[in-house]
Amino acid sequence: ATVSCAGGASAIVKFDLNREAFDGETLELEISGLTGGHSGIEINKGLGNAHKDMARLCYELLRAGDMRLVEIGGGSADNVIPKESKAVVVVKDSSKALNVCNEFEKKIKHERKGDPGYTLTCKKVKAELVPMDFESSQKVITFMNCSPNGIQELTMGMNNFPQTSLNLGIVSTEKDKAGFVYAVRSSVDSEKEMVCHRLENLAVVLGGEYTQEGVYPGWEYQPKSQIRDLLCRIYKEMTGKELVVEAIHAGLECGFFAEKIPGLDCISIGPNMRNVHTPDEYIEIGSTKRVWEMLLKVLEELK
């Protein structure tokens, strides 16, 4: 049974880009083979974010010598931890850049035991766009590299469950714009606001634009709950087992209900669902029947 959920928002940052000719060799970089996952349910598994790794690599290339960014991007949704990211760069010294890439891959594979399929590829290509100038390249790389990502706060008293987090899910570049979309989550609305403010602060300092959309409320854990106690008792009577009570770091309808009805005592239950938000998602029919029978008993006692 779920007794708390995260609220959230899509935080959007955009930068204007300037481009100018730059003499060098063009390389296409691709990071792939990461595990990926749901940014709410699996944010606490230490999974790598391909966009953050790409930003780190681009900064190392920038430090190693003259480099300009042409484009960078990837990601299917803001709430999906990206398992791949691509970038096109122009470098003065391609042999030095390739050495940086090889050393970077070794470092990440050593650090990231949870992503055994991690792969970095680097190949020479022809650029379809004029490179960004140095200032635009540095701005994009700095924002991606320095913006917060992952778990920010833990819920004390609930086995250090994730309370506040964010995920850089989508990165895109056009001729004159670069865009970034984050899924921000927290069961405490003031902390969700804090994380959004951090992104806004960094974006504005770097000359970017910040907006947000799809804002929804969190549902804080309530130490006392009659409906939770009733459900726990009925579950034990029916199964002989203790009900597992937990929080979820994703959005639930209870967040909206609790926001609209102050003091509402509520709980979220449902049958077992596996591989949520993937093509392999399914629901257990036997579990659905058991939950339905339990719900009827709860309703009988609430009459």
Side-chain angles (χ1 to χ4, degrees), residues 151-215:
I151 294 175
Q152 304 296 299
E153 298 289 345
L154 298 172
T155 302
M156 305 307 293
M158 291 198 71
N159 297 320
N160 289 330
F161 188 81
Q163 179 167 287
T164 304
S165 75
L166 73 165
N167 173 66
L168 174 55
I170 301 174
V171 177
S172 61
T173 44
E174 301 172 8
K175 183 177 180 180
D176 58 354
K177 289 279 187 183
F180 310 89
V181 187
Y182 290 77
V184 181
R185 302 176 185 272
S186 182
S187 56
V188 179
D189 286 341
S190 60
E191 289 189 1
K192 177 182 68 181
E193 183 181 68
M194 170 194 69
V195 171
C196 289
H197 286 173
R198 286 178 180 172
L199 290 174
E200 181 181 29
N201 188 188
L202 182 58
V204 170
V205 167
L206 291 171
E209 171 191 351
Y210 174 88
T211 57
Q212 63 186 44
E213 58 186 37
V215 180

Side-chain angles (χ1 to χ4, degrees), residues 25-29 87-89 91 94 97-98 122-125:
E25 293 186 273
T26 305
L27 303 176
E28 181 184 82
L29 314 173
V88 177
V89 301
V91 296
S94 61
L98 290 171
C122 180
K123 62 182 180 181
K124 295 180 180 180
V125 296

